[in-house]
């Protein structure tokens, strides 16, 4: 029968690109199918002004090739979207990846053929791909969430989504702009749009905690120093909670005197970024410690934003610090001191409907030429449930997950043999440095494929009991933290009708990867491995 490859990979972001390279290294024939016209995934789609990574670039980059990490020069501590996309293209060229990537092609359906032990994969280009193994590198944050704003069809201006930004860019000069959403993308875009637009109105439902990036160029000396220590730093990252080499859990807030606390909070604030969350051992475990860390940030906001009413509106109060994804910004709070920026609290004064020239809340009307939606994603499962994936006996993955997504180790789903998910629900995914998380999954899956070939195994399937046990571990460990005390996208709370199940694994990247290694060392406990006969 037709067989196009040993492995079909869906998605050409950091996960899919490395999966292709690793599969080839092991002698497998792999083909990648990608909706976009280029590699890069997240960094291909999210071209909004101000888009950049918030894990430092020397860490948020591939470690699998020492030549690559030594030769590449990151201009800034936190690289811009164009620089990260340039890097992804360089990787594609350097490892000759494009010849096995089918661009501009969306996978619409995949069906496991039990008689032949192969996946049949359909695309919107009309083709059918057949392969024994299917690897979903479809991304955790790759399906934009478009809110249901009443009357949006009435609006005569332009509507843009940060995650599907026009390739040619947007010039806001002289325009009135409205923006909906103050999560990571909104917080990055707002200072840039404010500098260009005539006027910017920020419609805020939930304020989020944001820590300054203190971004800037990486000096040649710092770059050389870090490169000289790369193997040590990568080792440290692989053995860390967040997959990064910053020092973690060095301080317990409640063990410190009030004066010492202020010193430590100020130190982490000045270091910037996620260090403010990951330096403190008890911040996500203890509500009192969390509130102290939160109040320090609120006081910073009150110190930066001159108008006290606006400052108070920007202070998050309804959820624990860090329970919604922490934001990292450049000049976000300062932007509200500009005369051309206004903040509207749409929780207090909800949007009624959109008009031809803007929108109406219960008490006011607002005019603008362009509406920017910075409203996030159907996270972690959205890209998978949009595809018609049918496993054993024609069971649909979407149906299987209707009460909440479960995947053994976040890697494989019972009833869906020979299919693997990279950064799937139940893996650390969005709580870790995701380039490293991609590498760890790719390497683990590749080793299992090699093991199967060596041992004549044709069918690999997660055991349903092992999957249930893992799902319970994921839920219970999240319940022991403060993560579940916010209506976050980690829980699916931003998508109406989505089951509220905490999806990422909170025990840390290092604990998780050791668990995966132990599963492999035990001969893949929790998986059924069967020969084809
Ligand atoms: C604005 C933004 C900033 C971020 N910053 C950071 C950061 O600083 N640090 C961090 O760790 N993480 C960050 N992330 C998370 C980021 O998604 C990951 O770091 C990483 O890029 C994920 O790579 P991936 O290959 O798994 O998925 P993606 O990069 O999302 O790639 C998935 C690809 O699959 C394709 N695809 C999906 N469905 C189909 C289909 N049916 N058919 C064909 N192709 C399909 C998509 O088009 C996409 O190209 C950020 C995310 C966003 C949106």
């Amino acid at each position: 029968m037709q067989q196009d490859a040993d492995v079909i990979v869906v998605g050409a972001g950091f996960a899919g690109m490395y999966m292709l390279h690793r599969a080839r290294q092991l002698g497998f024939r792999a083909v990648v199918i990608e909706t976009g016209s280029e590699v890069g995934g997240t960094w291909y789609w999210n071209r909004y002004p101000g888009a950049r990574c918030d894990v430092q670039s020397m860490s948020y980059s591939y470690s699998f090739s020492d030549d690559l990490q030594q030769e590449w020069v990151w201009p800034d501590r936190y690289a811009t979207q164009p620089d990260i996309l340039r890097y992804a293209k360089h990787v594609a060229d350097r490892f000759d990846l494009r010849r096995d990537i089918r661009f501009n092609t969306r996978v619409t359906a995949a069906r496991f053929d039990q008689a032949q032990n192969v996946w049949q994969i359909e695309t919107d280009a009309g083709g059918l791909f057949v392969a024994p193994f299917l690897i979903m590198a479809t991304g955790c944050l790759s399906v934009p969430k478009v809110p249901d704003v009443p009357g949006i069809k009435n609006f005569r201006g332009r509507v843009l989504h940060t995650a599907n930004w026009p390739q040619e860019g947007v010039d806001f000069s002289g325009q009135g702009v409205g923006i909906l959403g103050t999560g990571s993308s909104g917080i990055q875009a707002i200072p840039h749009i404010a500098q260009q637009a005539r006027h910017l109105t920020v419609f805020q439902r939930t304020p989020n905690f944001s820590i300054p990036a203190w971004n800037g160029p990486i000096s040649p000396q710092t770059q050389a120093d870090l490169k000289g220590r790369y193997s040590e730093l990568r080792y440290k990252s692989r053995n860390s909670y967040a997959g990064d080499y910053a020092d973690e859990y060095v301080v317990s807030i409640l063990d410190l005197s009030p004066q010492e606390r202020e010193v430590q909070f100020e130190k982490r604030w000045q270091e910037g970024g996620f260090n403010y969350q990951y330096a403190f051992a008890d911040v996500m475990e203890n509500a009192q410690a969390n509130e102290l860390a939160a109040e320090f940030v609120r006081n910073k906001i009150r110190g930066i934003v001159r108008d006290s009413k606006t400052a108070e509106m920007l202070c998050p109060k309804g959820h624990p610090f860090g329970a919604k994804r922490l934001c990292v910004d450049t000049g976000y709070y300062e932007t509200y001191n500009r005369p051309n920026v206004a903040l509207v609290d749409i929780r207090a004064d909800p949007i009624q409907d959109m008009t031809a020239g803007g929108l109406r809340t219960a008490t006011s009307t607002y005019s603008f030429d362009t509406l920017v939606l910075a409203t996030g994603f159907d996270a972690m499962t959205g890209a998978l449930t949009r595809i018609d994936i049918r496993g054993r006996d024609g069971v649909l993955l979407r149906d299987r997950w209707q009460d909440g997504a479960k995947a053994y180790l976040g890697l494989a789903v019972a009833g869906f043999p020979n299919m693997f998910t990279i950064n799937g629900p139940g893996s650390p995914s969005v709580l870790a440095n995701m380039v490293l998380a991609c590498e760890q999954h790719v390497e683990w899956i590749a080793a299992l494929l090699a093991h199967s070939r060596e041992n004549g195994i044709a069918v690999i399937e997660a055991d349903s009991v092992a999957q249930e046990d893992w799902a319970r571990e994921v839920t219970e460990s999240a319940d022991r933290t403060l993560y579940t005390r916010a209506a976050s996208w980690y829980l699916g709370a931003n998508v109406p009708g989505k089951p509220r199940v905490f999806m990422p694994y909170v025990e840390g990247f290092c604990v998780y990867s050791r668990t995966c290694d132990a599963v492999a060392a035990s001969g893949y406990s929790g998986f059924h491995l069967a020969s084809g006969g």
Side-chain angles (χ1 to χ4, degrees):
M1 75 171 297
Q2 173 195 354
Q3 191 164 306
D4 301 286
D6 301 315
V7 183
I8 297 288
V9 181
V10 188
F14 283 129
M17 291 168 71
Y18 183 40
M19 191 70 241
L20 169 59
H21 177 63
R22 191 79 197 106
R24 273 189 196 160
Q25 279 183 323
L26 293 172
F28 292 105
R29 282 182 309 137
V31 170
V32 180
I33 305 174
E34 166 57 55
T35 311
S37 62
E38 243 307 350
V39 295
T42 293
W43 306 103
Y44 168 85
W45 296 106
N46 291 263
R47 294 165 189 253
Y48 59 85
R52 55 172 83 237
C53 55
D54 51 20
V55 170
Q56 293 191 34
S57 306
M58 295 294 290
S59 190
Y60 185 74
S61 47
Y62 285 126
S63 64
F64 70 83
S65 158
D66 193 46
D67 288 346
L68 171 66
Q69 67 182 7
Q70 291 297 335
E71 77 200 8
W72 185 259
V73 177
W74 289 109
D76 301 326
R77 279 177 85 193
Y78 298 93
T80 59
Q81 173 272 329
D83 278 336
I84 305 174
L85 185 57
R86 193 166 54 84
Y87 171 74
K89 289 179 182 175
H90 168 77
V91 172
D93 292 338
R94 198 184 190 293
F95 298 99
D96 188 21
L97 300 181
R98 285 195 182 81
R99 68 185 154 88
D100 285 321
I101 305 178
R102 308 287 172 264
F103 290 109
N104 303 306
T105 309
R106 175 184 296 277
V107 170
T108 52
R111 189 177 73 87
F112 186 66
D113 176 340
Q114 274 165 252
Q116 308 286 339
N117 294 326
V118 292
W119 280 93
Q120 298 181 343
I121 295 133
E122 287 174 31
T123 74
D124 61 354
L128 182 73
F129 292 82
V130 179
F133 294 102
L134 173 62
I135 300 179
M136 305 307 288
T138 43
C140 289
L141 302 173
S142 56
V143 175
K145 166 81 184 56
V146 179
D148 190 11
V149 186
I152 199 161
K153 288 205 171 67
N154 303 333
F155 183 55
R156 298 257 173 78
R158 199 170 181 195
V159 179
L160 301 167
H161 197 295
T162 48
N164 199 359
W165 203 256
Q167 301 252 343
E168 65 283 6
V170 180
D171 182 4
F172 290 112
S173 305
Q175 282 199 28
V177 181
I179 184 164
L180 202 56
T182 50
S184 289
S185 302
I187 278 175
Q188 289 188 336
I190 284 165
H192 287 258
I193 298 174
Q195 278 171 27
Q196 214 182 42
R198 176 176 46 76
H199 190 268
L200 175 66
T201 311
V202 179
F203 297 98
Q204 172 187 271
R205 201 187 50 181
T206 312
N208 274 305
F209 291 97
S210 187
I211 304 295
W214 308 118
N215 190 32
I218 310 181
S219 71
Q221 299 93 296
T222 304
Q223 186 122 200
D225 169 55
L226 293 172
K227 284 183 176 176
R229 295 191 292 130
Y230 240 148
S231 59
E232 171 207 327
L233 297 175
R234 297 297 199 183
Y235 178 82
K236 191 174 173 192
S237 302
R238 281 190 177 253
N239 288 285
S240 71
Y241 179 89
D244 190 22
Y245 51 70
D247 290 335
E248 294 176 332
Y249 303 131
V250 282
V251 183
S252 283
I253 297 170
L254 295 182
D255 290 347
L256 302 176
S257 68
Q259 293 78 4
E260 282 169 323
R261 265 178 217 147
E262 290 300 299
V263 170
Q264 284 297 331
F265 286 145
E266 184 63 32
K267 179 172 185 295
R268 305 304 162 182
W269 177 271
Q270 292 304 335
E271 285 168 5
F274 281 94
N275 287 3
Y276 190 87
Q277 180 169 346
Y278 290 128
F280 300 116
D282 43 1
V283 72
M284 297 312 297
E285 315 283 327
N286 181 296
Q288 196 191 341
N290 188 284
E291 178 53 25
L292 290 165
E295 189 58 12
F296 182 87
V297 177
R298 290 188 205 113
N299 283 332
K300 285 288 186 190
I301 299 170
R302 292 173 185 129
I304 296 169
V305 179
R306 286 196 286 271
D307 176 62
S308 58
K309 195 164 155 256
T310 305
E312 229 33 59
M313 275 162 66
L314 287 164
C315 286
K317 290 179 192 118
H319 62 271
F321 169 85
K324 283 172 174 259
R325 190 179 186 277
L326 187 61
C327 302
V328 178
D329 72 275
T330 298
Y332 176 63
Y333 294 117
E334 290 82 351
T335 299
Y336 292 92
N337 292 331
R338 295 177 66 98
N340 68 332
V341 176
L343 181 65
V344 177
D345 179 351
I346 55 167
R347 194 177 289 282
D349 188 14
I351 296 174
Q352 301 292 302
D353 59 0
M354 289 204 70
T355 61
L359 66 76
R360 239 190 318 252
T361 64
T363 67
S364 309
T365 55
Y366 299 92
S367 305
F368 42 81
D369 307 293
T370 301
L371 177 66
V372 175
L373 302 175
T375 44
F377 301 89
D378 181 352
M380 299 200 62
T381 53
L384 294 164
T385 53
R386 262 162 192 71
I387 305 172
D388 213 63
I389 302 176
R390 289 177 190 275
R392 266 189 208 290
D393 306 320
V395 170
L396 200 56
L397 184 68
R398 197 183 304 136
D399 291 345
R400 182 55 67 83
W401 281 357
Q402 69 181 357
D403 296 325
K406 290 177 184 169
Y408 180 45
L409 301 172
L411 274 161
V413 185
F416 295 79
N418 292 4
M419 181 183 89
F420 298 97
T421 50
I422 298 186
N423 295 317
S427 72
S429 59
V430 288
L431 294 182
N433 166 5
M434 286 198 69
V435 181
L436 190 62
C438 290
E439 289 189 320
Q440 185 263 341
H441 264 192
V442 164
E443 285 160 11
W444 194 92
I445 294 166
L448 174 52
L449 296 187
H451 173 86
S452 312
R453 184 176 54 193
E454 279 154 28
N455 294 283
I457 291 160
V459 185
I460 304 169
E461 185 174 351
D463 173 66
S464 57
V465 175
Q467 178 171 288
E468 281 302 315
D469 289 347
W470 182 252
R472 196 175 321 108
E473 158 73 6
V474 171
T475 303
E476 288 177 359
S477 51
D479 285 343
R480 289 192 291 269
T481 70
L482 302 172
Y483 276 107
T484 49
R485 303 219 190 145
S488 69
W489 55 257
Y490 297 141
L491 263 171
N494 63 328
V495 179
K498 190 166 173 172
R500 299 247 177 146
V501 173
F502 196 85
M503 293 177 282
Y505 178 61
V506 300
E507 291 291 323
F509 178 80
C510 54
V511 172
Y512 173 78
S513 58
R514 278 181 216 135
T515 305
C516 291
D517 290 347
V519 165
S522 69
Y524 295 99
S525 54
F527 284 92
H528 298 287
L529 308 181
S531 62

